Amino acid sequence: MMLSGLDLPKPLIEAYGKKGITELYPPQEECVKKGLLEGRNLLISIPTASGKTLVAEMAMHHHIAGKVNKGPSKGKCLYVVPLKALASEKYEEFSGKGVRIGIATGDLDKRDEYLGQNDIIITTSEKADSLLRNNTRWMNLITCLVVDEAHLIDSENRGATLEMVITKLRYLNENMQVIALTATIGNPRLFAGWLEAEHVSSEWRPVDLKEGVFYSDTIYFEEEEKKIKTPAKEDDTNLCLDCIEDGGQSLVFVSSRRNAEGFAKRMAKALEKSGFSDPALEDIQKKLEAIAETDMGKILASCTAKGAAFHHAGMKREQRHIIEQGFRDGYIKVISSTPTLAAGLNLPARRVVIRDFLRFKGGEGMLPIPVREYRQMAGRAGRPHLDPYGEAVLIAKGRDMANGLFEEFISAPAEDVKSRLDDESALCSQVLSLISTEFVKNNDDLVSFLKRTFYTFTNKKSSHLSDIVEKAVSYLEAAGMITKIDDRLFATDYGNLVSHLYINPISAEIISTVLREKQKTLLEIKRLGEVEDIKASDIGDLIKTEPAKTTKSVNPVYSIDSMKQVKSASAKSMLKKTAFTPEDISAVFSDIGLLQLLCKTPDMYTLYVRKDDLPVLESFYYAHEDELWMEISYDTMEDDFRVIKTAMLLDNWISEIGEDTICTRFGVGPGDIYNVVEGMNWLLYSASRISYMMAPDLKISVSEVELRMKNGIKRELIPLIKLKNVGRVRARRLFNNGITSPLKIKEANFDKLSAILGQKIAGQVIKQVEKEYGNINNTEIIINNTEIKKEHTLREE
Ligand code: ADP
């Protein structure tokens, strides 16, 4: 089927033509035949690189051109991806074809109304969920929803969110076309049935894929055998050397970062020994060296110089980009990777070696990876137009094992997908958001809305559904996030806040319980005679059960509505009068205590504890026992230590310990630091919003840690970090030179400031201080021909 014969906008056909795409691949043709351009829902499960994205793109352009809908919005499309990195990849792919593309992956409590101006909005499932929770208007105008990697509805952590996003959007936009793109799954009919979709499935691939098992010196494919040379001792190295000698590149999937790094080192040596070299690798090495701050970064640079690299989530984003590009350009010959690379990134290679097909699962030992994951890795084999075929190879230790691997992976059926809404905490969070956004008004609404989910579609017993809904509602009511008046369910201010912040209600409860407890202790320390009878918890309770009256916005400290409920005059006066000294606060507040609390919530990913960590963790525990807020119990020791380790790392980060030292101390990579800091930033922001409502006297202390976490600084740098263009490094330099506050900047002489910050930044900082802290009238300084006046005294600070 020729593209030119389809009813598609010209710019799109021209853009495809420029890439040499003029005719549809067979599975794409089937999609068109099954109603792609007539607004039909489709579940498309075809192999990687067989043109799924292109199919979705055609449908979206068809909508945007107004060929499907006649309503107020002729065509607006939402493209949901599982990872932020993929959102950027798709953004680039969709750009430049005559339609407006937007990308929504930012903060989770923003509505991003402006994004509604776009024709296609690319987003992650979490961001889509948060846009829905924030009642973003343009979400009601979506006419075409594309769900990339839709089988992730089965993902343990994130599947429930994706399921609710699909359900809510279908509820909001009745005639919306749904296009679900999935890997091969075991129960496509059931999934398609839920989506009311036609199913398109095919094994067709643009490049042939041969799957086989390597044993001794031979790859056993289904229909042929291939003997290879074995110059090295290890099978994995030999498989890569053989492929490179034949003009190809290899990807090697291993189970851990350590294995990925270990393999790349070994492969680099083998490549050097084989005489392989390429001058272009020197440039890549230089780029990597320039950003290598840790041993890991240096190892990466030196391996890459020989043509072998590794790829995992512990690396910096720039490092990963350089490696990906070096591989796409054909210079890097081998990448060893953890399975994360298989999840979506478009980085094919002639030969994919699936070396570690067993994975450790806590409590169950080493288990085979799911077939779906194997397929995803194997699917990376073969670059369209570049390789004559792709090869996916498993490595066996013996003949018997080789047979087993065929059965276990190559000829095994893919697993079924199932709903993850049965997870209580995920359900609680979704129920809260349904009530908060007024999607539902009472229990009956709730049950009938949830009947639209994949969960109910696959578990038809609705009595079970009523039970779990009842349970979630009771939990939320007891936590004070919702309240029932007659039959009606309302979210309280607190409930609305939690829903907007997009944190798990269980996390919010953990945080608010402890913070309220601290606030109460503070009040007890003060023991204001006149208000002794009012306890902080009483006030907290009043706030908790007060339904939000008008808008969805969250009222600040002791909201006006709630204040009206505080009947006692003495309680009001207490709220006004309580002023605590830093000593009072430090008696109840500690940085590490707060970090421990937040690391303990289900929203925080915590670090794995190695054997080597135990002595350090124990001594840290004894040294800081008094500052910790949560007890360590024998039963949950393993989790508690993970929490302590993560909190310790974060404490190091806000104590300005160098990245390299943190990496060595905790056995992590710079990417891990970035990930835990990013996760903690959101929780600190949430905690500061919760404290504003529940524990107002701790708000400043929480916000300070929030600011320090964002910048990786000690408390003493806070006054300086607030200045524009002053980050952690410059602030530290200023401080160490005796310039400890904006006032000191005003007092400093310009030459001294320029020596510390450079002329340009010094000029900008002076200007800023001058603007924010008073006029400068005495001295004139010339910087880059710009006059900047400087004053020596502050009017007020
Ligand atoms: P998937 O989403 O299934 O991984 P893509 O849609 O990204 O696959 O397509 C993979 C590659 O094949 C892309 O480079 C794309 O431009 C190209 N491609 C897609 N459809 C065709 C076609 N009909 N003819 C030629 N190339 C195509």
Side-chain angles (χ1 to χ4, degrees):
M1 191 181 277
M2 299 306 287
L3 269 157
S4 52
L6 298 174
D7 184 17
L8 288 171
K10 247 194 172 165
L12 185 69
I13 298 203
E14 280 167 11
Y16 288 158
K18 275 188 200 149
K19 283 180 77 184
I21 305 175
T22 51
E23 194 176 351
L24 291 183
Y25 286 154
Q28 294 173 329
E29 196 172 320
E30 198 187 333
C31 293
V32 173
K33 286 186 183 151
K34 289 205 164 155
L36 179 79
L37 302 179
E38 284 141 34
R40 290 297 312 259
N41 291 353
L42 291 183
L43 170 68
I44 306 172
S45 32
I46 56 179
T48 316
S50 50
K52 289 193 284 286
T53 312
L54 192 113
V55 168
E57 192 178 29
M58 290 194 301
M60 292 194 290
H61 279 253
H62 197 61
H63 274 265
I64 297 160
K67 310 234 177 190
V68 186
N69 283 64
K70 307 273 177 273
S73 164
K74 283 193 173 162
K76 191 168 291 299
C77 312
L78 192 72
Y79 194 101
V80 180
V81 291
L83 300 170
K84 279 187 188 180
L86 283 177
S88 328
E89 205 178 82
K90 297 293 169 201
Y91 180 83
E92 276 167 35
E93 195 172 338
F94 295 154
S95 296
K97 293 175 182 162
V99 296
R100 293 164 297 184
I101 316 284
I103 183 162
T105 50
D107 284 350
L108 293 176
D109 67 341
K110 302 260 168 11
R111 278 191 190 180
D112 295 340
E113 287 291 359
Y114 68 95
L115 277 171
Q117 301 159 357
N118 295 293
D119 303 309
I120 299 177
I121 298 122
I122 307 165
T123 182
T124 57
S125 36
E126 283 72 24
K127 181 68 187 182
D129 192 15
S130 96
L131 290 167
L132 286 163
R133 285 174 185 221
N134 287 295
N135 288 328
T136 308
R137 280 191 297 269
W138 54 262
M139 289 297 255
N140 297 352
L141 302 173
I142 302 297
T143 60
C144 176
L145 167 70
V146 180
V147 184
D148 204 353
E149 315 267 352
H151 52 269
L152 290 176
I153 198 160
D154 191 16
S155 146
E156 219 169 297
N157 311 322
R158 311 168 60 203
T161 306
L162 182 58
E163 182 173 341
M164 286 304 279
V165 165
I166 300 174
T167 312
K168 282 186 198 169
L169 281 167
R170 290 183 71 200
Y171 177 81
L172 281 175
N173 305 298
E174 238 175 74
N175 295 320
M176 181 180 73
Q177 179 178 17
V178 182
I179 300 173
L181 313 175
T182 72
T184 318
I185 55 174
N187 53 349
R189 268 176 220 293
L190 189 71
F191 199 25
W194 173 55
L195 293 170
E196 297 172 286
E198 290 287 334
H199 177 220
V200 178
S201 107
S202 162
E203 288 302 311
W204 184 92
R205 293 172 48 96
V207 192
D208 273 350
L209 174 66
K210 301 183 198 173
E211 293 172 87
V213 177
F214 181 75
Y215 161 57
S216 180
D217 60 355
T218 305
I219 310 175
Y220 297 89
F221 293 111
E222 259 169 333
E223 290 173 0
E224 61 180 293
E225 291 177 11
K226 193 176 197 177
K227 220 176 168 78
I228 67 164
K229 285 188 219 151
T230 52
K233 264 200 295 196
E234 301 83 7
D235 294 343
D236 47 12
T237 321
N238 286 328
L239 280 165
C240 295
L241 286 172
D242 173 69
C243 177
I244 296 162
E245 199 182 299
D246 209 26
Q249 291 167 288
S250 290
L251 276 178
V252 182
F253 285 107
V254 298
S255 57
S256 68
R257 297 169 185 185
R258 190 195 291 239
N259 286 345
E261 291 176 23
F263 176 79
K265 279 197 242 173
R266 189 149 51 74
M267 191 67 222
K269 277 198 194 127
L271 277 168
E272 193 173 22
K273 205 168 157 197
S274 76
F276 171 79
S277 72
D278 185 340
L281 288 167
E282 266 174 44
D283 283 346
I284 304 179
Q285 180 192 17
K286 275 187 200 141
K287 278 191 210 159
L288 288 168
E289 263 168 4
I291 54 168
E293 284 164 23
T294 60
D295 285 347
M296 194 251 319
K298 286 173 198 143
I299 294 171
L300 182 67
S302 70
C303 293
T304 307
K306 312 281 181 242
F310 52 87
H311 192 290
H312 58 63
M315 290 157 59
K316 286 187 193 173
R317 211 175 295 177
E318 302 105 282
Q319 288 171 327
R320 288 203 299 255
H321 281 167
I322 295 172
I323 297 303
E324 286 159 20
Q325 199 49 49
F327 194 75
R328 279 199 188 105
D329 293 339
Y331 303 128
I332 296 174
K333 295 295 174 192
V334 182
I335 294 184
S336 52
S337 162
T338 54
T340 40
L341 192 136
L345 265 190
N346 190 13
L347 206 64
R350 165 130 12 130
R351 181 173 288 166
V352 169
V353 180
I354 297 120
R355 195 193 76 176
D356 300 346
F357 42 78
L358 297 178
R359 181 165 317 140
F360 184 76
K361 192 160 182 208
E364 294 174 65
M366 298 299 278
L367 294 179
I369 55 171
V371 175
R372 198 183 310 136
E373 203 172 311
Y374 159 75
R375 291 259 157 84
Q376 215 161 20
M377 294 177 190
R380 304 282 139 199
R383 292 167 308 160
H385 316 298
L386 293 173
D387 290 325
Y389 51 83
E391 294 172 337
V393 186
L394 290 145
I395 301 178
K397 299 256 176 327
R399 188 172 288 279
D400 287 350
M401 189 178 184
N403 291 334
L405 289 177
F406 255 101
E407 273 171 36
E408 195 143 13
F409 295 108
I410 300 176
S411 44
E415 291 90 358
D416 290 353
V417 289
K418 70 179 190 77
S419 167
R420 295 290 176 171
L421 263 186
D422 56 357
D423 174 77
E424 274 177 31
S425 88
L427 188 74
C428 261
S429 170
Q430 294 299 342
V431 167
L432 176 62
S433 103
L434 288 168
I435 299 170
S436 162
T437 46
E438 296 183 6
F439 249 79
V440 299
K441 300 203 164 37
N442 52 41
N443 260 18
D444 290 347
D445 278 4
L446 200 50
V447 171
S448 73
F449 178 81
L450 289 171
K451 276 191 180 154
R452 296 163 167 264
T453 58
F454 186 47
Y455 176 79
T456 318
F457 192 79
T458 47
N459 302 276
K460 295 255 159 53
K461 282 188 243 143
S462 57
S463 62
H464 179 53
L465 182 69
S466 326
D467 290 349
I468 58 167
V469 165
E470 192 60 50
K471 225 169 152 187
V473 167
S474 304
Y475 175 84
L476 294 169
E477 218 178 339
M481 293 183 202
I482 61 170
T483 184
K484 235 185 213 164
I485 299 177
D486 301 326
D487 181 32
R488 187 78 207 261
L489 294 169
F490 295 94
T492 61
D493 285 348
Y494 174 39
N496 278 327
L497 175 65
V498 174
S499 179
H500 284 244
L501 285 174
Y502 203 74
I503 55 171
N504 190 317
I506 298 172
S507 297
E509 255 318 81
I510 295 175
I511 298 169
S512 86
T513 306
V514 173
L515 289 180
R516 272 188 290 139
E517 205 49 48
K518 298 277 165 203
Q519 173 80 34
K520 187 174 154 191
T521 315
L522 255 184
L523 291 170
E524 276 165 5
I525 289 174
K526 208 75 185 172
R527 284 213 179 275
L528 294 176
E530 57 186 304
V531 292
E532 231 169 353
D533 55 329
I534 300 289
K535 295 193 181 69
S537 58
D538 296 336
I539 298 165
D541 287 343
L542 283 169
I543 296 161
K544 281 200 320 181
T545 50
E546 174 68 10
K549 289 279 157 58
T550 47
T551 61
K552 293 270 151 300
S553 72
V554 176
N555 293 321
V557 190
Y558 299 136
S559 64
I560 307 275
D561 285 338
S562 309
M563 275 299 287
K564 283 183 197 150
Q565 303 280 319
V566 184
K567 296 197 180 75
S568 149
S570 60
K572 285 185 198 166
S573 80
M574 174 194 74
L575 292 174
K576 280 192 199 125
K577 281 188 185 175
T578 42
F580 296 96
T581 63
E583 289 72 36
D584 296 335
I585 303 276
S586 66
V588 300
F589 188 88
S590 78
D591 299 347
I592 191 74
L594 177 67
L595 295 176
Q596 184 202 19
L597 169 72
L598 300 182
C599 286
K600 184 105 186 164
T601 62
D603 279 310
M604 186 67 195
Y605 140 83
T606 52
L607 298 167
Y608 175 72
V609 174
R610 307 164 302 169
K611 239 198 201 138
D612 297 357
D613 294 329
L614 288 174
V616 187
L617 289 177
E618 270 166 23
S619 65
F620 179 87
Y621 174 71
Y622 288 116
H624 296 271
E625 202 177 349
D626 294 344
E627 297 160 51
L628 294 174
W629 290 2
M630 319 287 280
E631 271 181 30
I632 291 191
S633 101
Y634 188 75
D635 294 339
T636 54
M637 183 87 86
E638 200 181 319
D639 284 346
D640 288 343
F641 269 173
R642 288 180 71 122
V643 165
I644 298 270
K645 177 172 173 179
T646 315
M648 246 176 98
L649 181 149
L650 291 162
D651 190 56
N652 274 207
W653 170 251
I654 57 173
S655 305
E656 295 176 47
I657 309 286
E659 211 173 78
D660 208 5
T661 313
I662 296 182
C663 288
T664 321
R665 199 174 276 176
F666 297 93
V668 297
D672 296 304
I673 303 179
Y674 174 85
N675 289 339
V676 286
V677 167
E678 197 179 39
M680 182 49 72
N681 277 336
W682 190 253
L683 279 171
L684 278 165
Y685 171 68
S686 305
S688 90
R689 296 285 304 267
I690 290 173
S691 65
Y692 198 56
M693 187 178 261
M694 300 286 185
D697 294 302
L698 295 172
K699 157 91 173 88
I700 293 177
S701 308
V702 177
S703 299
E704 271 183 9
V705 182
E706 186 194 348
L707 190 67
R708 290 173 57 203
M709 190 63 65
K710 233 181 238 157
N711 295 286
I713 53 162
K714 291 186 187 169
R715 184 166 283 109
E716 63 199 24
L717 296 190
I718 289 179
L720 293 168
I721 208 80
K722 291 180 177 165
L723 296 166
K724 243 194 266 159
N725 294 323
V726 176
R728 67 189 304 219
V729 176
R730 287 184 183 138
R732 175 51 58 203
R733 259 193 252 145
L734 285 168
F735 193 93
N736 290 352
N737 281 285
I739 301 173
T740 54
S741 68
L743 174 64
K744 290 270 165 56
I745 291 183
K746 290 187 63 94
E747 289 169 358
N749 117 355
F750 175 72
D751 293 339
K752 182 173 177 182
L753 269 184
S754 324
I756 302 169
L757 300 174
Q759 282 206 345
K760 193 168 156 211
I761 301 288
Q764 288 167 349
V765 167
I766 290 169
K767 243 185 179 175
Q768 216 187 123
V769 171
E770 171 193 321
K771 199 163 152 209
E772 283 166 29
Y773 298 89
N775 291 325
I776 287 178
N777 26 29
N778 297 343
T779 323
E780 275 189 358
I781 337 152
I782 312 279
I783 310 150
N784 295 342
N785 298 330
T786 319
E787 279 195 355
I788 292 181
K789 295 190 170 178
K790 189 170 176 247
E791 184 199 40
H792 292 284
T793 50
L794 272 178
R795 259 193 260 129
E796 201 183 313
E797 192 179 40

